[in-house]
Amino acid sequence: MKRALITGITGQDGSYLADLLLEKGYEVHGIIRRASTFNTSRIDHLYADPHVNGVRMFLHYGDLSDSVNLVKLLYALKPDEIYHLGAQSHVRVSFDIPEYTSDVTGVGTIRILEAIREAGLRSRFFQASSSEMFGKAQQVPQTETTSFWPRSPYGVAKVFSYWATVNYRESYGLCASNGIMFNHESPRRGETFVTRKISRAVAAIKHGLQKELFLGNLDAKRDWGYAPEYVEGVWRILQTGEGDDFILATGESHTVREFVETAFGYANLDWKEFVKHDPRYERPAEVDVLLGDASKAKNILDWEPRVRFHELVRIMVDADMDLLSRNTPRDHLGKLP
């Protein structure tokens, strides 16, 4: 039985990856931060039947800012595969807390890589890199060889993590890989991210519980995919057995405005009646167009996305509609499907 360690297991990607690895027969370990409230809603379903998953899934308290604990944990677990998904991942928030973002999202990767080296492990390592590294994109579409020009503290931290992963691969022979993931969404997406903020608002407005939705830049273009498919690509990257770097993307780009129009239209609502602009949601430096070329992943990993933009929007709106119809508005604020 393979043993995997996931940082960020309580997040969107971490929870879908845990689903996938348990289905494949792995023993799954996850690192979670200690908090005064439960923050495991995305993975609670994995404990519903302990005879199926519970005995193969274990959670450990830890933090990406605590290198000593990471070394101890790796010594004890000796995982075959390490999936590093944990980060302060909100781009707009990274402008407000740049030092924390740099420490956790950037230096946190070095701490894990050093822990692998210190423990003398030959674990396969995956770093969740981001299309935000391209920022002021110098080429459209972006490929694995496109130069980086990050436009946020988050993007800068991700560039640091990317090159740290490459450096440890080249310096110490680690099987370390980067997955440059373009935007990927789902009903488990955090509620402060623009796509989930939109789908959630559509459901609330449709049920008469919300009157307005405030957004920032509607002209930003993004390459949006479906998160469960992307974690399949993440897993495939580590199965190659050799460290390498891959883009995971759909090859389609749509504006935030298109997402709004599609989501509201699907619910038979006129978005112009409800959506308002709020400059607080504007970034100090905007990323205008992100569009990925995943040809390498298709050729080497046999990976390509199946869920496209309009289907993705429908999936998210349907999920929030269903969630709101089954729960009180207060429950809806804190629960995920």
Side-chain angles (χ1 to χ4, degrees):
M1 184 185 298
K2 284 186 178 181
R3 179 178 294 170
L5 175 65
I6 304 173
T7 71
I9 194 170
T10 59
Q12 170 188 257
D13 293 359
S15 65
Y16 282 124
L17 182 60
D19 289 336
L20 177 69
L21 295 180
L22 288 168
E23 289 174 4
K24 293 183 177 297
Y26 280 66
E27 178 182 296
V28 176
H29 295 257
I31 298 176
I32 62 173
R33 286 175 293 176
R34 179 70 177 90
S36 59
T37 57
F38 291 111
N39 59 355
T40 58
S41 58
R42 292 183 179 92
I43 56 175
D44 284 345
H45 65 283
L46 296 176
Y47 291 101
D49 185 351
H51 299 292
V52 177
N53 290 323
V55 295
R56 290 192 287 110
M57 181 170 160
F58 307 89
L59 299 179
H60 309 268
Y61 287 122
D63 196 289
L64 294 174
S65 63
D66 185 353
S67 59
V68 174
N69 180 70
L70 291 173
V71 172
K72 288 181 178 179
L73 192 57
L74 290 186
Y75 265 121
L77 295 180
K78 297 179 173 60
D80 300 289
E81 298 171 0
I82 299 172
Y83 296 89
H84 180 35
L85 311 178
Q88 190 301 100
S89 59
H90 198 290
V91 178
R92 178 62 188 85
V93 171
S94 76
F95 285 99
D96 299 324
I97 49 173
E99 183 179 347
Y100 175 80
T101 300
S102 300
D103 184 44
V104 173
T105 305
V107 182
T109 304
I110 283 283
R111 293 188 181 105
I112 296 180
L113 289 166
E114 266 297 286
I116 294 171
R117 192 173 73 89
E118 179 69 24
L121 303 179
R122 303 305 299 170
S123 307
R124 298 180 181 183
F125 175 80
F126 174 84
Q127 159 62 21
S129 292
S130 170
S131 58
E132 288 288 334
M133 299 188 303
F134 295 118
K136 190 175 181 180
Q138 302 300 289
Q139 174 185 339
V140 180
Q142 293 89 55
T143 71
E144 288 82 2
T145 59
T146 302
S147 59
F148 300 138
W149 193 325
R151 301 268 281 172
S152 66
Y154 170 78
V156 171
K158 281 294 186 180
V159 170
F160 180 95
S161 289
Y162 174 93
W163 286 116
T165 301
V166 172
N167 184 254
Y168 272 69
R169 180 170 74 217
E170 295 177 349
S171 300
Y172 303 112
L174 296 184
C175 181
S177 298
N178 283 290
I180 306 175
M181 296 190 285
F182 281 65
N183 294 62
H184 46 289
E185 319 298 319
S186 77
R188 297 185 192 176
R189 188 57 143 153
E191 295 167 357
T192 61
F193 289 82
V194 67
T195 52
R196 184 77 196 290
K197 186 176 177 181
I198 294 167
S199 64
R200 199 160 168 261
V202 168
I205 291 171
K206 192 69 174 179
H207 283 81
L209 299 170
Q210 184 172 329
K211 295 182 179 180
E212 295 176 316
L213 170 62
F214 293 93
L215 297 173
N217 181 15
L218 297 182
D219 296 319
K221 300 183 73 173
R222 295 292 183 269
D223 184 327
W224 276 303
Y226 187 42
E229 295 183 338
Y230 280 52
V231 299
E232 169 74 26
V234 166
W235 175 77
R236 292 191 184 196
I237 287 173
L238 285 200
Q239 306 319 300
T240 64
E242 297 180 2
D244 203 348
D245 308 312
F246 295 89
I247 279 179
L248 300 180
T250 69
E252 296 180 14
S253 189
H254 299 270
T255 64
V256 175
R257 180 179 283 101
E258 288 179 82
F259 199 107
V260 170
E261 291 174 344
T262 304
F264 277 81
Y266 182 55
N268 296 315
L269 296 171
D270 182 355
W271 70 274
K272 294 180 181 178
E273 295 181 13
F274 306 100
V275 177
K276 312 294 182 184
H277 178 261
D278 190 332
R280 292 178 301 173
Y281 298 119
E282 299 275 1
R283 300 180 186 181
E286 185 56 78
V287 172
D288 297 318
V289 181
L290 292 177
L291 175 64
D293 180 351
S295 299
K296 181 178 177 181
K298 181 178 180 180
N299 294 334
I300 297 177
L301 307 177
D302 193 28
W303 179 89
E304 60 180 327
R306 297 177 299 278
V307 174
R308 294 297 177 172
F309 177 75
H310 289 87
E311 183 181 356
L312 170 65
V313 176
R314 291 195 295 268
I315 288 171
M316 295 184 67
V317 172
D318 281 340
D320 273 317
M321 286 284 197
D322 180 64
L323 186 64
L324 192 54
S325 66
R326 289 186 288 108
N327 296 284
T328 67
R330 180 172 295 180
D331 288 338
H332 181 58
L333 293 176
K335 293 185 178 180
L336 292 165

